[in-house]
Amino acid sequence: MIGQVEASAIQGSNELLKSVESLRLSASRRATLSHKTEMGQFLTPISVARLMASMAGCNDPKVRILDAGAGVGTLFAALVERLCQKPVPPESIFVTAYEIDPSLLESLQATLRFCGQWCKRQGIEFRGEVIISDFLKDAADRLDNGFFEKTEAPSFSCAILNPPYKKINSDSATRHHLRRIGIETSNLYTGFVTAAIQMLKYSGELIAITPRSFCNGPYFHPFRKYLLSETALRRIHVFESRSTAFKDDEVLQENIIYSAVKGVARQATVTITSNTAPDAKCESRKMKYEELIRPNDPDLFIHITPDAKSHEAALLMTRLRHSLPDLGLSVSTGRVVDFRAKEFLRMEPGAGTVPLIYPAHFDNGYVSWPKSNFRKSNAIISSDETSELLVPNENYVLTKRFTSKEERRRIVAAVYDHNRFATKLVGIENHINYFHRQHRGLSIVLARGLAMFLNSTPVDTFFRQFNGHTQVNATDLRNIKYPSLVLLEKLGSKDASESPIQAEIDSLVNRMVFDER
């Protein structure tokens, strides 16, 4: 197969990436889903690679490219193609490609040969190397400033990468390698990007496609802090559908592409682009840096507004000033972890039990319990052993911590109305966040108003600007600003039917926000 592709690479002026794409498709067909999952890597399609390469400047006469987790080499090949087509192309290009999967060695070497042939026709010197090794280990060896003599670290002009997406165990060799170079992270992709930045020279460029999940949440705070302090973001690209970037592999993770420059001062604006598919026309807008990362935000959440609708939602939400502590409210995660309390769970309510609320009990904005034909437990025993897991039977607002891809909204809230349940205590399962006042309940009017606010389109649109996955953490909910208690209760008092349609909720929330002073 590679021999057949090699022959085609010599013909024509637009065959470089077509040849590499044939290698990618062949490698993708050979690899099983379990192998892809184990490696944490899905090979980059040609359309995504070209989009990423289009973000590169790389004005050095001698360009050094780093591709960490190279796959079959689609990304560095797209960048080589891009550089060769510049009005003033570089004098030379040198590629270093890391790949841990030895089964891709032959394809990578073929891609380097294709790039060499392409550059030769353009009169550009080309050299390349493939390193079949753990990139993070090698990076640590090169960058470590420990007791041993430091190996001279390379200074790359550009790092272009689609890093593996996989969690890192706390006691793994990978975590040790990262700690040697001062990186603390729980996922391979942020480790790869951070190490790649360290291997760039001053003013070197980073172009990466990763899950959007790093834009918020406590786990990725160290990565956000490093990325924003060591580089200046220039452009962020979002896909309007979660399934478009890696549709061949049926990957539904929400991904973004971002380009940044190491060591230089940040610009006043960042370019935000979006499209329906990687090869479709991009919509573009400029976003002020202080809108992207809010001043004085200790969590450094990254808010991305790719279109006018998102921008309008952001402007609307900036009118709100109240944090949950300002309102005397808190949000916590449900205390009942079912597999840890298995001996106390019961499928149906009975003597000595109290309700156990799961996300499946959410029904049209309220909690409906018990649930018939439910594969989980409807009840939990109330005893001394479970007393710390239960809360008083009072009014709460519950939100799902995880939403499925079929649900229209990222935040799904429901009112727990204590009058519907003849019990003194209730258990809230760990897949739910619940709003409370010092671990006691809210007034029913406030609970209704808060739930309506959280279920509104403005909140959903705003929340999606910094939340790139289907998980809604308590920290995320704490970082939203809220209307005053007076306005929330005013909103809740309008819930006469107990199930207003979405358009009515959105209209009420919009008017309420504009009433905020």
Side-chain angles (χ1 to χ4, degrees), residues 7 45 89 148 158 171 181 203 232 240 251-252 262 318 320 353 356 364 403 406 442 469 510:
F148 300 99
C158 182
D171 57 350
I181 51 178
S203 76
E240 294 178 14
V251 175
L252 293 178
K262 181 177 179 179
T318 58
L320 302 177
T353 70
L356 176 58
N364 200 26
T403 52
E406 290 82 13
L442 318 177
H469 47 83
N510 274 286

Side-chain angles (χ1 to χ4, degrees), residues 165 189 210-217 220 224 238-239 242 252-256 301-304 403 410 462-473 476:
Y165 175 67
Y189 82 84
T210 73
R212 188 175 172 174
S213 53
F214 76 88
C215 291
N216 74 310
F220 294 106
R224 290 193 298 275
V238 298
F239 298 100
R242 285 191 297 162
L252 293 178
Q253 174 71 46
E254 187 170 355
N255 294 284
I256 62 173
F301 280 14
I302 300 175
H303 300 253
I304 305 171
T403 52
R410 198 62 58 83
F462 176 74
F463 190 75
R464 290 172 183 271
Q465 294 170 16
F466 63 86
N467 181 283
H469 47 83
T470 56
Q471 183 171 345
V472 180
N473 297 305
D476 300 329

Side-chain angles (χ1 to χ4, degrees), residues 300-330:
L300 298 174
F301 280 14
I302 300 175
H303 300 253
I304 305 171
T305 57
D307 50 40
K309 178 183 175 182
S310 299
H311 183 60
E312 289 171 5
L315 290 177
L316 184 71
M317 295 296 289
T318 58
R319 295 179 65 89
L320 302 177
R321 307 189 309 271
H322 304 288
S323 66
L324 287 178
D326 294 338
L327 304 178
L329 303 179
S330 301

Side-chain angles (χ1 to χ4, degrees), residues 171-203:
D171 57 350
S172 64
T174 299
R175 183 64 69 93
H176 171 70
H177 299 324
L178 289 169
R179 284 173 176 159
R180 286 168 55 197
I181 51 178
I183 301 172
E184 193 63 52
T185 185
S186 59
N187 203 296
L188 277 177
Y189 82 84
T190 51
F192 266 64
V193 173
T194 306
I197 291 171
Q198 292 193 17
M199 298 179 78
L200 286 172
K201 68 171 191 173
Y202 173 81
S203 76

Side-chain angles (χ1 to χ4, degrees), residues 30-146:
R30 291 195 307 269
T32 64
L33 180 59
S34 61
H35 179 75
K36 294 175 183 178
T37 303
E38 179 186 357
M39 303 302 293
Q41 180 67 288
F42 293 88
L43 304 180
T44 313
I46 184 175
S47 56
V48 174
R50 276 205 168 109
L51 177 59
M52 293 176 67
S54 71
M55 299 183 184
C58 291
N59 295 317
D60 293 349
K62 300 181 186 296
V63 175
R64 302 191 66 201
I65 298 170
L66 168 66
D67 188 344
V72 299
T74 307
L75 282 177
F76 72 72
L79 186 51
V80 167
E81 178 189 69
R82 162 81 171 174
L83 295 175
C84 289
Q85 293 171 345
K86 292 182 67 174
V88 182
E91 299 171 4
S92 66
I93 300 173
F94 183 80
V95 170
T96 298
Y98 283 88
E99 177 53 54
I100 199 170
D101 186 352
S103 70
L104 297 175
L105 174 60
E106 187 178 359
S107 296
L108 266 174
Q109 290 174 332
T111 300
L112 285 177
R113 289 195 295 273
F114 299 156
C115 289
Q117 294 165 359
W118 178 266
C119 288
K120 184 177 181 181
R121 287 200 299 270
Q122 314 302 319
I124 298 171
E125 179 187 358
F126 178 84
R127 291 180 297 143
E129 62 177 348
V130 175
I131 302 176
I132 300 296
S133 178
D134 181 343
F135 167 68
L136 294 179
K137 180 182 183 303
D138 193 75
D141 290 342
R142 293 172 182 262
L143 296 166
D144 186 9
N145 283 306

Side-chain angles (χ1 to χ4, degrees), residues 1 12 112 153 178 216 258 358 412 468 481:
M1 175 63 188
L112 285 177
L178 289 169
N216 74 310
Y258 43 100
Y358 279 86
V412 178
K481 294 296 185 181

